């Protein structure tokens, strides 16, 4: 899917590609336009479904590069090669990758176990802001003013709500 970008959108996108957390003010200063113009440009990029993401490599994640006649089912990334074939990139656990390779009857592939010169992320557990216990599954959130608290159950959520309301009086 091709998306047409204006020259300004292209410049902003390239800046955000390097640092997706750059402020509109600093981008505006660099490109010598107003902050409002940059805000509108970013809004336009989002409306075109362009994502600004941080690149990282999750510890223990594997990636497989498989060349085939067409994109593999179950692959989220696929690129056309100059010879007309496609290269699909499958990321995840060994079992997940093996399942997709078997589904698509792929025998030849390249397995990558680490990404060079990228931030490696190790996922740690999420803990309840009230009782301190590890949260298993989806956390229950409590928003108070501008802050979001995570709890493991509705009981902790209610106790935390009471604690925060009495401590902020």
């Amino acid at each position: 899917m091709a998306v047409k970008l204006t020259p300004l959108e292209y410049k902003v996108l390239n800046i955000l590609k390097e640092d997706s957390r750059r402020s509109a003010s600093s981008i505006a200063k660099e490109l010598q336009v107003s902050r409002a113009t940059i805000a509108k440009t970013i809004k336009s990029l989002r409306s075109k479904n362009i994502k600004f993401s941080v690149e990282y490599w999750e510890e223990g994640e594997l990636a497989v590069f498989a060349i085939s006649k067409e994109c593999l089912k179950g692959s989220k990334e696929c690129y056309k090669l100059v010879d007309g074939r496609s290269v699909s990139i499958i990321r995840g656990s060994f079992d997940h990758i093996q399942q997709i390779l078997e589904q698509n009857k792929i025998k030849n592939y390249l397995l990558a176990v680490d990404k060079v010169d990228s931030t490696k992320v190790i996922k740690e557990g999420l803990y309840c802001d009230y009782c301190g216990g590890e949260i298993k599954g989806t956390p229950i959130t409590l928003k108070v003013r501008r802050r979001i608290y995570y709890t493991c159950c509705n009981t902790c959520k209610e106790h935390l709500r009471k604690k925060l309301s009495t401590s902020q009086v």
Side-chain angles (χ1 to χ4, degrees):
M1 175 178 88
V3 176
K4 291 186 179 183
L5 300 179
T6 67
L8 182 60
E9 287 174 330
Y10 184 75
K11 288 177 186 177
V12 170
L13 184 59
N14 278 315
I15 290 170
L16 291 171
K17 185 177 169 185
E18 293 298 316
D19 181 4
S20 62
R21 296 186 55 114
R22 281 273 301 269
S23 70
S25 299
S26 72
I27 296 170
K29 188 180 272 185
E30 182 177 328
L31 297 178
Q32 299 178 344
V33 296
S34 73
R35 193 204 61 76
T37 300
I38 296 301
K40 287 177 188 174
T41 304
I42 291 171
K43 186 176 181 180
S44 172
L45 288 169
R46 284 192 176 126
S47 73
K48 294 176 180 181
N49 290 324
I50 294 177
K51 309 271 189 268
F52 317 119
S53 60
V54 178
E55 188 176 321
Y56 67 92
W57 184 267
E58 196 165 329
E59 187 74 21
E61 181 181 59
L62 302 173
V64 164
F65 301 84
I67 298 175
S68 57
K69 292 179 184 175
E70 52 192 43
C71 296
L72 300 182
K73 291 178 184 140
S75 169
K76 293 181 181 174
E77 291 178 72
C78 185
Y79 303 92
K80 283 283 186 198
L81 299 174
V82 292
D83 65 0
R85 296 182 298 168
S86 297
V87 62
S88 297
I89 304 172
I90 309 160
R91 300 176 194 276
S93 69
F94 182 78
D95 293 334
H96 170 73
I97 291 171
Q98 186 177 20
Q99 180 183 9
I100 292 175
L101 292 173
E102 286 174 1
Q103 265 180 346
N104 291 280
K105 298 179 177 133
I106 300 296
K107 302 262 188 255
N108 298 319
Y109 54 85
L110 175 66
L111 176 66
V113 295
D114 206 0
K115 188 170 184 178
V116 179
D117 295 333
S118 72
T119 303
K120 289 178 183 60
V121 175
I122 300 170
K123 185 178 177 185
E124 290 187 356
L126 187 60
Y127 296 92
C128 178
D129 287 324
Y130 182 74
C131 72
E134 186 172 1
I135 298 173
K136 306 266 192 243
T138 306
I140 298 169
T141 59
L142 171 65
K143 187 172 182 181
V144 178
R145 291 187 188 76
R146 293 178 148 180
R147 185 150 184 219
I148 296 176
Y149 296 90
Y150 297 97
T151 59
C152 58
C153 63
N154 283 321
T155 304
C156 285
K157 179 181 177 180
E158 289 310 312
H159 285 296
L160 183 60
R161 182 191 317 272
K162 287 177 188 174
K163 180 181 175 184
L164 293 171
S165 67
T166 58
S167 69
Q168 295 176 4
V169 172

